[in-house]
Amino acid sequence: MALDSAHLRTRVVHAGQSPDPLHGALTPPIYQASMFAYGDFDRGARLFAGEESGFVYSRFANPTVQALERKLAALEGTEDAIAFASGMAAISSTMTALLSPGDELVFVGPLYGGTESVLRDLLPRFGIRVVDAEARGGLAAAVGPATRLVFVETPTNPTLGIVDLAAVARIARAHGAISVADNTFATPCLTRPAELGIDLVVHSATKYLGGHGDATGGLVAGSRERLAPLRQLGMKYLGGCLSPHEAFLLLRGIKTLALRIDAACDNAERAAESLARHPKVERVHHPSLASHPGHDIARRQMARFGAILSLELRGSSAAAKAFLDGLTLITQAVSLGDTDSLACHPASTTHRGVAPEIRVRQGVSDALVRISFGIEHPDDLLADLAQALDRC
């Protein structure tokens, strides 16, 4: 059967890979080599001129890393993908490769705190203007003639806002801008932004794609034309390449992605329903709830509602501290997408670098807690949440 018509659970196992041609290894081998012999003078010249494909140096390309890139491109439904050393390397390389002094980037917040720091602190140093769409009355009003790139997340980190990706792509395209969506929270299991018109799809592969908390990486998927500047600047010039061993671990993790996502989504949906009724919880942010302002858009563009939720406790940071310190099964850690359930206080951790007045405007309050649900049994997770709430 054609793999592109197969079910997702089949594609995460088989997409973008085939047995190793040298010895038939079913698992992609780790090509732990920094350089590759190219045989003779003329072939070396052709390889460096781009007239022939092949491997010469692992900062440029590596067979194990290429296997990961092909798998992610197959899952996202794009022509190609590039693997980076981290999610932030993928994001910063995308922005620096595609933007020049005088260009404008428009984003829809909130975003991951590290991403916001790049936008607000780093890009202006290079003469790039950054515009917060919310401060301009929405994306349609914010995008203008100088806009070169539009950047969004969906669901957003950490407030679980839902952005209409088809609308983002349409608005960006109408102004000749490149649309970029961070798909880390949803993964290609739940949303494929390229199918909705988005030009480039970014991942922190450290999260759900790896899934086991033992590998760090980032990926960008899109057309070969869009990715060409990223491969030249991000890999060859900035050197943010992924190691072969990390690529091997991420390839292994992706094989169970669909199973892990389903189990984690089950847990998040049950927890959202339960927490929304708890008297010590002011508000639950999860798109599965009919009360969520993005519920209808999420139903349209997501296969499921995701495995992360955030909740606002009645009180301030003291209530959040009591709740988090009371958890016994769910671990306090700033990452997400792991087999283990994780919780954090964004205002004092992941979004600490964002100015307090911006955090407040974006809904990242001192009482907000973000929970990334893993694959444990839901009854055990609900029991842990209940006893921690009793301590608030």
Side-chain angles (χ1 to χ4, degrees), residues 19 172 219 272:
L219 286 150

Side-chain angles (χ1 to χ4, degrees), residues 42-43 52 72-73 92 98 114 116 161 165 168 179 193 204 214 251-252 258 280 292 324 346 362 384-385:
D42 290 338
R43 183 167 185 264
E52 181 178 335
L72 193 277
S92 58
L98 298 178
E116 288 225 14
L165 292 176
V168 169
S179 55
S204 173
D214 56 8
L251 280 163
R252 183 193 64 179
K280 291 186 178 180
H292 190 286
L324 285 164
Q362 293 180 342
D384 194 33
L385 293 170

Side-chain angles (χ1 to χ4, degrees), residues 274-295:
S274 174
L275 291 168
R277 299 192 302 265
H278 200 284
K280 291 186 178 180
V281 176
E282 180 71 30
R283 185 176 295 107
V284 175
H285 302 278
H286 191 260
S288 67
L289 299 174
S291 59
H292 190 286
H295 175 74

